[in-house]
Amino acid sequence: MNDSTDNSLQAVRGCPVAHHGADVTRLYGPEAATDPAGIYERLRKEHGSVAPVLLEGDVPAWLVLGYRDNRRVLDNPRQFSRDARIWRDWREGRIEETSPIMPMVGWRPDCVSQDGEPHRRLRGAVTDGLTAAATRGIRRHVTYFANKQIDAFADAGRADLVADYAEQLPMLVLTRMLGLPAADGQRLIESCAEVFKGGEGALEHNDRIMQILAELAERKRAEPGSDFATALLEHPAGLDHDEVVSHLRLVLIAAHTTTSNLLARVLQRVLTDSARLSGLVSGELNISSVVEEVMWDTPPLSVLPGRFATADLELGGHHVQEGELLILGLAAGNLDPEVRPDSAVAVQGNQSHLAFSSGPHECPGQSIGQSIIEIGVGVLLLRLPDLRLAVPPEELGSTASTWESRLDSLPVEFAVQAHN
C-alpha cells in the first residue's frame, strides 16, 4: 500500500487496519495463493485468535482464527449479523458495487444474507426443497454420473481425478437436481470457480450464473418438474423471482464448490495412504471416517464470508466496532492448538469441526454433499480397484484464493478397464 492508501484506511473509524497500523496481511495475492496455512499460523502468533487482514481491493476485515471465537460468531447472529446492509465500509461508500468481493460478501435476497424471521422463512423453503431432492433418487443420480465420468477415461489407463472427476461429478448431479440441462454444467463449473477466485472476472461470471438461473426459473414457472427449482417456485413461503434465482445460485455455487473440493481432498487422502486405500477397497474402512478427517484437516472452505458486528464489542482481545466485517477462518479454527494441541492425533468420531459452519446458518445440504462424495469414491474404487497415484505424493500442489485451497491435479494410473 502507498502512503495515501495507508492514511485513508487508518482514518476510517473502526477500520481493523487503523487498530494495527499499515503493515496488515493481505489474504489475496501470491503468498496467500501458495501458503495460506503459513499465513494463518503467523497471524495467530502475532495477533492471537482474531487478526486484522485485507481482502481483495485492500478491503479491511477481521479474520477469526480461534475455534471458540469462530463458534461465538457463528452461533450469535444478534451480535454478528449476516446482513451486509449494516457493513459500515459499504454503507459509507468505500466499497463499490463493482468490487470483486461483492459476489462473496455483498447482500442478496437469500437466506444467508438475513437473520431472524426473514432467514427462517427463506431457509425453510431451501431445506424443504433439498429434502425433497434427496429423496428423489440422489444416490441413483450420483451412481449414474460417476459411472459415466469413469467411462470417459476408463480405457486410457490414466486420468486426472481433479479435472476429469471431482470437478465434474457434483455439477452433473446438481444440474439434474436443480432442473438444468446437463449442457449448462461445464459453463457453470468455470463460472463458480471464477466467483471464488475473485479478480476481474468474478462479477462477469456471477452475472453469467444469474442469467442461466433466471432462465431456468422462467422455464420451470411455465413447465414445472420434480426438481429443486420447481420446489422453490411452488413453496408456501411464496418466494418472489429474485429470491428464487438467488437461492438457486446459493445452492449451485456452495454445493458445487465445496463438494468438488472435498471430493478431491478425500481422494488425495485415500491415494496417498496405502493402508486407507486397501481398507476401503476391502470394505474394512468406511469412507465416511475419511471424509470426517478431511473436514477437520482441509475443510472445503478455508474461510467463510462474512459477519458484521451489530455493536461495539470485544472478540479475541480486540475491539471490534459496529458495522465491521468479520470473516470466519474455518481451516484455522479446526487446527486451533487450544482444541487440537496435536493435529496428528486421530479425530475419528469427532464431528465438531467447523467445515459446515455452525449455528442458524449451518449448511443445510451437507447430507447431499456427503452422499455425492461417498458414492463417488465407492464407485471409483469398485470400477478401478488398482487405482494408484501417477506421481510422488509430494508433487501434488494446491492453489488458494481468500476463501478456499484447491488441489491442482491428482494424476492416477490403473489397468485399462472395459466399459460396464
Side-chain angles (χ1 to χ4, degrees):
M1 285 184 290
N2 59 34
D3 291 340
S4 62
T5 308
D6 297 346
N7 293 336
S8 64
L9 282 170
Q10 292 188 53
V12 177
R13 175 184 170 269
C15 167
V17 178
H19 300 319
H20 299 285
D23 189 21
V24 177
T25 297
R26 288 179 170 86
L27 277 197
Y28 67 98
E31 185 190 359
T34 54
D35 188 23
I39 290 177
Y40 305 150
E41 192 177 338
R42 174 169 57 76
L43 288 172
R44 202 192 306 271
K45 285 177 182 172
E46 291 175 2
H47 301 285
S49 61
V50 178
V53 294
L54 293 172
L55 308 182
E56 192 170 5
D58 281 353
V59 172
W62 294 101
L63 173 63
V64 186
L65 297 158
Y67 180 89
R68 292 184 179 89
D69 287 312
N70 268 291
R71 284 278 185 191
R72 179 185 162 191
V73 174
L74 291 166
D75 294 343
N76 290 282
R78 288 189 177 180
Q79 286 187 310
F80 304 97
S81 173
R82 191 63 184 80
D83 192 336
R85 291 172 295 190
I86 69 167
W87 182 15
R88 180 185 288 129
D89 283 341
W90 174 79
R91 216 173 54 218
E92 297 180 358
R94 286 182 291 276
I95 308 297
E96 299 290 337
E97 290 297 333
T98 53
S99 165
I101 70 163
M102 287 303 282
M104 296 298 296
V105 179
W107 187 88
R108 295 179 179 281
D110 61 27
C111 60
V112 298
S113 291
Q114 301 179 67
D115 299 303
E117 187 50 43
H119 170 259
R120 282 188 287 276
R121 169 185 160 258
L122 295 170
R123 185 180 168 100
V126 172
T127 303
D128 291 348
L130 290 175
T131 302
T135 59
R136 287 197 193 106
I138 201 89
R139 301 181 76 84
R140 186 178 72 250
H141 296 328
V142 181
T143 304
Y144 169 77
F145 285 119
N147 277 301
K148 190 174 178 183
Q149 280 305 111
I150 295 165
D151 285 346
F153 56 74
D155 57 0
R158 57 195 306 114
D160 172 4
L161 291 183
V162 171
D164 299 334
Y165 197 65
E167 290 287 348
Q168 305 294 326
L169 180 59
M171 185 59 80
L172 288 165
V173 176
L174 281 165
T175 54
R176 178 68 61 89
M177 189 180 97
L178 267 63
L180 280 161
D184 284 337
Q186 204 59 46
R187 290 197 299 155
L188 289 167
I189 289 171
E190 179 193 1
S191 291
C192 288
E194 292 298 323
V195 167
F196 266 84
K197 195 182 298 179
E200 293 178 5
L203 288 167
E204 179 189 336
H205 280 277
N206 189 68
D207 289 345
R208 179 199 278 186
I209 292 169
M210 294 296 281
Q211 181 184 345
I212 290 172
L213 296 177
E215 291 167 1
L216 169 66
E218 288 303 321
R219 235 176 10 253
K220 290 298 173 179
R221 201 179 294 278
E223 300 173 13
S226 56
D227 49 64
F228 182 69
T230 302
L232 289 180
L233 287 162
E234 296 180 348
H235 196 272
L239 277 64
D240 65 27
H241 176 77
D242 289 346
E243 289 172 336
V244 168
V245 176
S246 285
H247 284 95
L248 290 171
R249 172 194 179 274
L250 172 66
V251 169
L252 178 87
I253 293 180
H256 167 70
T257 305
T258 57
T259 308
S260 61
N261 197 358
L262 191 54
L263 177 54
R265 293 295 185 183
V266 168
L267 289 169
Q268 177 189 18
R269 181 71 58 107
V270 168
L271 291 167
T272 54
D273 185 324
S274 56
R276 281 193 183 87
L277 180 57
S278 60
L280 287 173
V281 171
S282 66
E284 294 172 22
L285 181 64
N286 190 317
I287 186 60
S288 60
S289 64
V290 182
V291 174
E292 204 166 78
E293 287 175 34
V294 173
M295 287 193 291
W296 271 103
D297 295 338
T298 50
L301 278 188
S302 306
V303 176
L304 180 70
R307 299 293 188 274
F308 306 90
T310 59
D312 291 2
L313 50 86
E314 187 189 358
L315 184 70
H318 296 275
H319 183 54
V320 178
Q321 296 189 345
E322 180 271 327
E324 288 183 353
L325 167 62
L326 302 100
I327 55 175
L328 293 309
L330 307 184
N334 278 350
L335 292 171
D336 184 347
E338 285 197 11
V339 295
R340 284 183 77 188
D342 183 355
S343 60
V345 173
V347 288
Q348 198 166 342
N350 185 341
Q351 296 181 356
S352 55
H353 56 76
L354 298 168
F356 289 131
S357 179
S358 176
H361 290 280
E362 183 173 345
C363 172
Q366 52 193 271
S367 63
I368 292 175
Q370 285 180 288
S371 292
I372 292 172
I373 290 162
E374 290 176 14
I375 297 166
V377 174
V379 171
L380 187 69
L381 296 182
L382 185 67
R383 289 283 304 274
L384 310 173
D386 64 338
L387 193 66
R388 61 194 175 275
L389 265 184
V391 297
E394 58 272 17
E395 287 187 17
L396 298 175
S398 300
T399 303
S401 68
T402 300
W403 315 108
E404 58 173 358
S405 177
R406 296 185 81 84
L407 192 63
D408 295 327
S409 64
L410 192 60
V412 293
E413 298 172 333
F414 46 87
V416 173
Q417 303 289 312
H419 294 184
N420 283 353

